[in-house]
Amino acid sequence: MTAPEDTTPHTGKHAGKDSVEHAGEHADSQIAAILQQTKTIAVIGASDNWKRPSFYVMKYLLSQGYQIIPVNPRLAGQTILGQTCFESLADIPQQIDMVDIFRPASDCPDIVEQAISIGAKTVWMQIGIVSEVAASRATEAGLDVIMDKCPKIEHTRLSGLLGLGGFASGFLSSLRPAAPPVPPAKRDGGLFFSDKPETLSIHAGARPDAATGARQVPVYHTAAFAFDNTDHAASLYDLQQPGNIYGRLSNPTTAVLEQRLASLDSGIGACCVGSGHAAQMVALYPLMKPQAKIIASTRLYGGSITQFAFSFKKFGWDVAFVDVSDADAVKAACDDPDAALLFTESLANPDGNISDLEMLAEIAHARQLPLVVDNTMATPILCRPKDWGADLVLYSTTKFLAGHGQALGGAVVDTGLYDWSNGRFDSLSMPDPAYHGISFAETFGPLGYITYCHASVLRDLGPVLSPHNAWLTLLGLETLPLRMRQHMENAEQVALFLSKHPKVETVSWAGLPASPYHGLAKKYLNIGAGSVFTFSVMGGIEAGMKLVEGCNLISHLANIGDTRSLIIHPASTTHRQLTSEQRQKAGLGDSTLRLSVGLEHADDIIHDLDSALARI
Ligand SMILES: *Cc1c(COP(=O)(O)O)cnc(C)c1O
């Protein structure tokens, strides 16, 4: 087969990691500079088939103001996207800044020689194309070289475009973006990068509004977005250009939240949805099919157990619950040929069990399964699951991330570690009949999974986050690092008080040296062992109910992670359908209470608990 165009699939090599990682600061600056300085791009292996990646890339780059010159001997003299196609680089009668290669690695050394002889400044090899020989020859000749990346993806990412979802740009800027979007202009010679959560939680994903200069994120209360013309509309529908179509797929306010959460987790992108439970459904949908099996921790949040065990069953999805502290049991469960993923909570709701993420990642990856971590309770401030190998990180943003108990929401973050093009997940690697047969992993490379979450899952299942709730969540998120520090301080004081109280039997807080999770807390949790834990009192179910009723400051309700301290008695509420024995199995005694320590003065929280304890 000698088709002179981009028939090379984007598979075979793990491309996600170094194309997008934080550590790629230097690379990001270099790429931004190249994309700024480049005006004319010759595309080697340009295809006239609109479903091929090279066509997507050309169409996108044209829309961003670049001059594109297709090169393909079969089409020489014809036009692609209105641009005359040439047989070879040598035939092009004008200066070329960049040579973008959609050909196998074995062709690259030859192409580089030609690029050098026509005076090109940059050689760019697409995702999956790596030729060290070509790269070192080009570098020797003074050319910039980028390998295993896509200029469309890098340009989308680095210009902070908010089309169809949030991809972490990696840089921060207080400058209004230029229109049309270009990778950021340098001020004083550099882009601003940070990996500090205090900075990211305020800045990531948000620049002053391009139209008005508004510094705070505008709330885009609109159901739909106007198209410039029919070609623009078609490009958006074909996913050739990033942009907003309809609020069920994407919204610019939500996209800021997506970028911010992705940045806090050092991920490549995120998809925000209407609730934490919706996040679980959206996250798993691309990975599942009838008979496929979720391998899940037995110690998940109760609502997740119910969702997996009953509602997901109706999709034909199977689930096996396993004690994730038992490595052999996890291995045996993951050896099941139907296993599709391993799911756990970093710090579990309600009693603060901690998963050995590093061990679980190793077991999952040895079987090519992605590790999916619900990080709701820990937040990126206590734990960044990517550091331990997690592939997807999920949140109920309803809890600590928003922090004010005003808005439900959920998020899926792709850390960029998993190679979605490995063929294990049909939704991502097979031609998608709902999108004219494109494959998401091929067309969008490392951004394929998150793009699929928006373009297919949100579109078809519809659990969208309202832009107003996205905005409320952003507002809360600005103070996340500050709040988490105070939550940790208060939790410690309250847990120590309870552990010494004569009427208290047990306290599950993992910061106590007696906790079986103390060692894992030290390893995995940065600034404290969480502020949600359980404790049990003497006197059985009656005493538990009395204690809840005796609280005057602490609110009796079914939520966690609020500024307010919250308490609930599972045996009389969330777990009342279970027998006493079943409750014990779930780790909850009849007199167990779940406490979410808030941000009031610790003395006042303790005082309220102390007087409630006096009354039982
Ligand atoms: C609350 C919670 C969820 C569900 O989130 P909602 O926003 O309520 O849908 C999932 N996981 C954990 C750990 C939670 O605490």
Side-chain angles (χ1 to χ4, degrees), residues 12 26 81 105 144 209 271 344 418:
H26 169 72
L81 289 162
D144 284 323
D209 182 54
C271 178
T344 194
Y418 197 84

Side-chain angles (χ1 to χ4, degrees), residues 47-98:
S47 174
D48 58 350
N49 174 351
W50 76 264
K51 293 175 196 167
R52 297 300 308 156
S54 61
F55 194 95
Y56 272 69
V57 169
M58 289 188 289
K59 185 151 190 188
Y60 173 82
L61 293 174
L62 278 167
S63 77
Q64 301 304 316
Y66 293 97
Q67 193 188 349
I68 297 299
I69 302 180
V71 177
N72 179 339
R74 181 174 65 81
L75 300 169
Q78 301 177 34
T79 59
I80 304 176
L81 289 162
Q83 315 304 308
T84 302
C85 191
F86 288 86
E87 180 161 353
S88 72
L89 281 176
D91 297 336
I92 302 173
Q94 71 178 95
Q95 173 62 37
I96 298 295
D97 299 323
M98 181 201 291

Side-chain angles (χ1 to χ4, degrees), residues 287-295 316-320 332-342 367 369-370 424-425:
L287 314 182
M288 297 298 288
K289 57 186 174 189
Q291 259 117 61
K293 193 179 266 183
I294 304 163
I295 310 300
W317 300 357
D318 204 355
V319 59
C334 289
D335 278 337
D336 186 324
D338 290 326
L341 60 107
L342 178 58
R367 292 151 182 84
L369 302 180
R424 284 190 73 99
F425 302 107

